[in-house]
Amino acid sequence: MAQHPMKVVLLDLDGTLTKSDGGIIGSVIKTFEELGRPVPDAAELRRFIGPAIIESLRRNHVPAEDLDRAVDIYRSYYGDRAVFDDPNEPGNKVPGRLVNVVFPGIREQLLKLHADGYYLALASCKPEYQCIPICDHFHLTELLDGIYGASKDNSRLDKDQVIRYCFDKIAFDAAAGDKAVMIGDRYTDIDGAHACNLDAIGCRWGYAPAGEMEEHGAYEIIEQPEQLEDAVNRYFEMH
């Protein structure tokens, strides 16, 4: 574990490190079809990217008695069933989690942040058992110091719960001078950070509807991945 005081950069996955909409939306469509329910429109489908899947299913009026089954169906398409076209290898079929690409510039920014001495922690509302193989597959694991996600049983679901779980695992100690900032593209990242008395830097290249990050109080919003290191350094210089 890093010595105190440490500076922690918490990083969201979907819409922040990777462009993952194709696999998530494809898996959501398959889920609604299998449930025999109307598929949400395109704007609503995009809102599935970021929050916990069960939260989005509830918002789209999936009855309480069908939620567990709906989550299982979604996870099977997203995690296991190779029915989608691979954007990285045309002609190959992959599960939803691999219909995904790392945003250009992200790898270079993570290398720079690491060289600057930050502890880089993935903090995702996606279940941890899904985050790890995605990061492995896209060679992000070696650029991160830790991978922290939601629990499979929904006991750790929201971003603030994931952040607290991460802090517990890395022995984060504000009293010893440890500091952290959240990097993400949706309201869940900002609200989760605020619930843990942290600030959040918003990523414009992700999936937030217009005005969402401003409305939820992002500390700063950056337009391109190439701006990440500068924004993080600027933040820690001020705090």
Side-chain angles (χ1 to χ4, degrees), residues 168-188:
D168 185 54
K169 289 287 189 181
I170 67 176
F172 184 89
D173 185 358
D178 296 344
K179 299 181 187 303
V181 68
M182 181 77 219
I183 313 292
D185 68 308
R186 292 298 313 274
Y187 73 93
T188 44

Side-chain angles (χ1 to χ4, degrees), residues 179-208:
K179 299 181 187 303
V181 68
M182 181 77 219
I183 313 292
D185 68 308
R186 292 298 313 274
Y187 73 93
T188 44
D189 301 301
I190 301 166
D191 291 355
H194 290 168
C196 297
N197 297 313
L198 303 175
D199 289 314
I201 296 171
C203 304
R204 191 78 77 189
W205 59 88
Y207 299 111

Side-chain angles (χ1 to χ4, degrees), residues 2-176:
Q3 289 186 330
H4 302 286
M6 61 178 165
K7 295 177 178 177
V8 179
V9 179
L10 299 156
L11 296 148
D12 178 48
L13 181 58
D14 298 319
T16 301
L17 301 186
T18 68
K19 185 180 187 302
S20 56
D21 53 302
I24 293 172
I25 289 171
S27 300
V28 170
I29 290 170
K30 293 283 192 188
T31 301
F32 277 83
E33 288 174 347
E34 204 160 307
L35 289 171
R37 299 185 63 81
V39 174
D41 65 24
E44 182 57 34
L45 285 170
R46 282 181 69 83
R47 292 182 68 196
F48 274 80
I49 304 158
I53 183 66
I54 197 165
E55 183 181 321
S56 297
L57 291 166
R58 280 196 194 105
R59 192 182 62 245
N60 282 273
H61 314 297
V62 174
E65 63 269 20
D66 290 341
L67 282 172
D68 285 347
R69 177 167 165 253
V71 170
D72 288 343
I73 294 169
Y74 172 83
R75 287 178 175 172
S76 73
Y77 279 108
Y78 189 76
D80 304 313
R81 295 163 76 169
V83 299
F84 304 105
D85 294 324
D86 186 346
N88 300 290
E89 289 186 38
N92 197 27
K93 293 288 187 183
V94 292
R97 65 185 167 84
L98 299 183
V99 184
N100 206 349
V101 293
V102 179
F103 283 112
I106 283 294
R107 294 183 200 282
E108 294 79 4
Q109 292 297 300
L110 295 181
L111 284 166
K112 287 179 177 181
L113 288 168
H114 218 273
D116 291 339
Y118 296 109
Y119 182 95
L120 304 183
L122 188 85
S124 174
C125 289
K126 187 186 297 302
E128 194 171 296
Y129 80 92
Q130 292 177 353
C131 294
I132 291 169
I134 290 169
C135 290
D136 287 349
H137 182 85
F138 291 104
H139 304 291
L140 292 171
T141 302
E142 55 263 40
L143 305 178
L144 299 164
D145 294 296
I147 297 172
Y148 306 95
S151 60
K152 195 171 185 177
D153 66 0
N154 293 333
S155 63
R156 183 175 68 252
L157 191 65
D158 297 325
K159 186 70 68 161
D160 60 310
Q161 294 173 314
V162 174
I163 293 171
R164 290 188 182 101
Y165 160 72
C166 166
F167 282 178
D168 185 54
K169 289 287 189 181
I170 67 176
F172 184 89
D173 185 358

